Amino acid sequence: MPRRRRIAGADPEKRRQILDGAHEVFLSRGFDIASMSEIAAAANVSKGTLYVYFEDKEHLFLALIERERESQKRGAYEALEDDPDPAHALATFGERLIRLLACDFAVSAHRIVIGVAERMPDLGREFYENGPLQGTKRLAGYLEAQVRAGKLAIDDTALAASQFLDLSQSTLLRPRLFNAVRERPSEEEIARVVKAAVEMFMARYAVKSGS
């Protein structure tokens, strides 16, 4: 029996090939300058094939961000799944998350989205809702479980999650976003900043013994 043709736009290998080409072009050219023709050439596909998979450059860019995000964030969230010690779990989670956010692609993606969000608000909103907001919700869910277990005392877990995320990123990401610092932070610096974030967080929210 002859093999049935894949539904248009449903070949995972072809999609990966296109996203690999887009990754190369977006990093080297930036979002605004990059063209679908350049992406097609880098991916070694025709423009017609490119449009079968992605209707425009914006949707291609969001798909690329989501692929990179999914491939790297699993390890960060795994730190929250099986560790009964919230201080240790948060430290591991924070360090893994900062490694992800401080990598070259993540920094470039944030710059691109911020740069186009005013004229493409849907792109900015989708980036935020599928990325930072989801991360805050996942962390808030973990904190809620720790509250039920009697280890943390938090009235507003969404706020507390945002506080921890901001504390962990302090001094590490903003200079990178503005290109004031070009090198990603060292492992030692990440560990130092996240350790301080955990200490501040636990000083505020840990259940005190005897309480």
Side-chain angles (χ1 to χ4, degrees), residues 100-141:
L100 165 62
L101 295 178
C103 76
D104 292 341
F105 177 79
V107 171
S108 295
H110 276 81
R111 288 175 183 154
I112 290 169
V113 171
I114 291 170
V116 303
E118 185 168 350
R119 62 185 174 83
M120 296 179 183
D122 289 344
L123 187 148
R125 185 181 64 253
E126 188 168 347
F127 177 87
Y128 172 73
E129 291 178 349
N130 291 331
L133 182 59
Q134 286 300 314
T136 302
K137 289 181 177 179
R138 291 281 294 271
L139 180 54

Side-chain angles (χ1 to χ4, degrees), residues 3-13 53:
R3 294 174 58 187
R4 297 178 61 187
R5 294 181 59 192
R6 290 186 181 272
I7 299 172
D11 185 339
E13 178 58 29
Y53 283 80

Side-chain angles (χ1 to χ4, degrees), residues 51-86:
Y51 280 109
V52 166
Y53 283 80
F54 301 100
E55 60 184 278
D56 52 36
K57 185 170 68 171
E58 289 75 23
H59 284 82
L60 174 53
F61 180 64
L62 287 174
L64 179 60
I65 289 174
E66 187 60 26
R67 183 186 74 165
E68 298 299 310
R69 182 183 284 151
E70 287 298 324
S71 68
Q72 299 179 52
K73 72 182 182 183
R74 296 189 193 98
Y77 291 130
E78 285 172 359
L80 302 175
E81 292 175 359
D82 300 318
D83 195 330
D85 179 358

Side-chain angles (χ1 to χ4, degrees), residues 88-104:
H88 184 266
L90 288 171
T92 304
F93 168 76
E95 290 181 15
R96 292 178 182 178
L97 183 67
I98 298 307
R99 291 190 198 107
L100 165 62
L101 295 178
C103 76
D104 292 341

Side-chain angles (χ1 to χ4, degrees), residues 11-39:
D11 185 339
E13 178 58 29
K14 185 67 68 177
R15 191 175 192 274
R16 182 201 61 76
Q17 182 179 334
I18 292 170
L19 290 174
D20 287 346
H23 184 278
E24 174 186 332
V25 173
F26 282 133
L27 279 182
S28 63
R29 301 281 286 163
F31 178 82
D32 282 326
I33 297 176
S35 69
M36 292 294 267
S37 295
E38 290 174 313
I39 293 170

Side-chain angles (χ1 to χ4, degrees), residues 141-210:
Y142 170 79
L143 297 178
E144 288 171 7
Q146 296 302 306
V147 170
R148 291 193 298 270
K151 297 178 180 179
L152 296 176
I154 304 174
D155 294 327
D156 187 339
T157 54
L159 174 61
S162 295
Q163 290 171 334
F164 179 75
L165 293 171
D166 287 345
L167 286 170
S168 296
Q169 298 173 44
S170 178
T171 74
L172 298 178
L173 295 187
R174 188 170 296 175
R176 288 271 285 153
L177 286 175
F178 287 100
N179 218 17
V181 174
R182 300 194 174 212
E183 300 294 327
R184 67 180 65 187
S186 67
E187 288 294 306
E188 293 76 15
E189 184 64 5
I190 291 174
R192 185 183 73 85
V193 172
V194 172
K195 179 176 182 290
V198 173
E199 289 173 349
M200 291 183 68
F201 188 87
M202 296 302 291
R204 171 63 179 84
Y205 291 119
V207 172
K208 306 301 187 290
S209 59

